[in-house]
Amino acid sequence: QKEVEQDPGPLSVPEGAIVSLNCTYSNSAFQYFMWYRQYSRKGPELLMYTYSSGNKEDGRFTAQVDKSSKYISLFIRDSQPSDSATYLCAMRGGNEKLTFGTGTRLTIIP
Amino acid sequence: GAVVSQHPSWVICKSGTSVKIECRSLDFQATTMFWYRQFPKQSLMLMATSNEGSKATYEQGVEKDKFLINHASLTLSTLTVTSAHPEDSSFYICSVRQRSGAFSGNTIYFGEGSWLTVV
């Protein structure tokens, strides 16, 4: 079993829809949770960063962490074609090593 | 603006030659930098952790003599792929860690990546 599981998609939704992206994990030591957006042939760009359980909102993006269920989510409201990218969840414990999900390819259809 | 600069963005080299990739932290001093490799449609795999002034820590299965890492200053780390082979063709990405006092944790920023093609 992988430490971090993420549905690779692809996921296609119409413009304006709410997008829900999810990851599950097995390592209870993970404390820091991140979502990265990666455009084709580019490096990952940090979108959201949360520590422990709870919600965090930034503009159209909301990150949720449920440590009891070992489940994290990223919601994108009012999705735009420019949101089309691969979204990677990542997490780490007390050390500095990040563990990534496989990424979900998202396409927003105009 | 960019926090991490990576150079070159694209490189093509002949099999058997060596290629150096640079990673620079632009906004802060980075005692620790990370090197990842990403194959098409796959996730990032950590290759090694680069520590300023000391030897890098390599992940299991990564050849130290093939992927040479030098972290000579607080803002620069280099990855040299020695005696490159076509199977080394990949997307190489570096990242730097920034401490954030507000969270008593830290965030990690990535470079734009370097595409290596070995022919």
Side-chain angles (χ1 to χ4, degrees):
Chain A
Q1 182 190 9
K2 292 181 181 178
E3 276 195 296
V4 179
E5 297 277 358
Q6 183 177 9
D7 187 340
L11 177 63
S12 296
V13 300
E15 183 176 357
I18 296 174
V19 177
S20 173
L21 303 167
N22 312 293
C23 288
T24 59
Y25 62 95
S26 57
N27 189 342
S28 56
F30 288 144
Q31 301 175 54
Y32 303 95
F33 304 91
M34 286 141 278
W35 285 95
Y36 288 88
R37 178 174 61 195
Q38 186 176 26
Y39 292 111
S40 182
R41 297 174 179 260
K42 295 288 186 180
E45 171 194 9
L46 180 66
L47 278 178
M48 301 289 283
Y49 166 72
T50 53
Y51 171 67
S52 196
S53 286
N55 293 359
K56 182 177 182 180
E57 186 175 320
D58 184 2
R60 296 185 295 112
F61 299 92
T62 300
Q64 288 185 351
V65 175
D66 183 349
K67 290 190 71 177
S68 62
S69 301
K70 296 188 177 65
Y71 186 88
I72 70 171
S73 301
L74 176 70
F75 297 96
I76 306 174
R77 292 184 300 279
D78 188 26
S79 55
Q80 306 293 315
S82 59
D83 295 328
S84 298
T86 296
Y87 289 80
L88 297 153
C89 65
M91 48 199 79
R92 55 177 284 265
N95 63 27
E96 298 180 321
K97 180 179 176 181
L98 275 181
T99 301
F100 283 87
T102 53
T104 299
R105 280 197 299 136
L106 172 67
T107 301
I108 306 300
I109 303 167
Chain B
V3 176
V4 181
S5 171
Q6 201 169 328
H7 177 81
S9 300
W10 300 79
V11 58
I12 301 174
C13 72
K14 291 184 178 180
S15 186
T17 62
S18 296
V19 175
K20 181 184 287 187
I21 300 170
E22 293 186 348
C23 178
R24 292 184 183 273
S25 175
L26 301 179
D27 285 1
F28 48 84
Q29 294 180 331
T31 55
T32 305
M33 294 184 180
F34 306 90
W35 287 96
Y36 292 82
R37 181 167 53 184
Q38 186 179 33
F39 291 106
K41 297 186 179 181
Q42 294 188 26
S43 192
L44 283 75
M45 298 301 297
L46 180 65
M47 298 175 67
T49 302
S50 170
N51 302 295
E52 189 268 338
S54 65
K55 292 183 178 180
T57 303
Y58 290 81
E59 295 299 302
Q60 191 173 10
V62 178
E63 299 176 58
K64 300 178 183 181
D65 295 332
K66 181 167 186 60
F67 299 100
L68 300 179
I69 291 173
N70 183 280
H71 195 152
S73 77
L74 288 171
T75 58
L76 174 65
S77 176
T78 61
L79 168 68
T80 301
V81 183
T82 63
S83 187
H85 289 101
E87 57 264 32
D88 297 325
S89 299
S90 185
F91 191 44
Y92 292 86
I93 312 172
C94 71
S95 69
V96 301
R97 173 176 61 81
Q98 178 186 32
R99 288 201 177 276
S100 173
F103 293 100
S104 66
N106 49 67
T107 55
I108 298 174
Y109 296 92
F110 286 83
E112 283 292 291
S114 299
W115 280 97
L116 170 63
T117 301
V118 184
V119 298

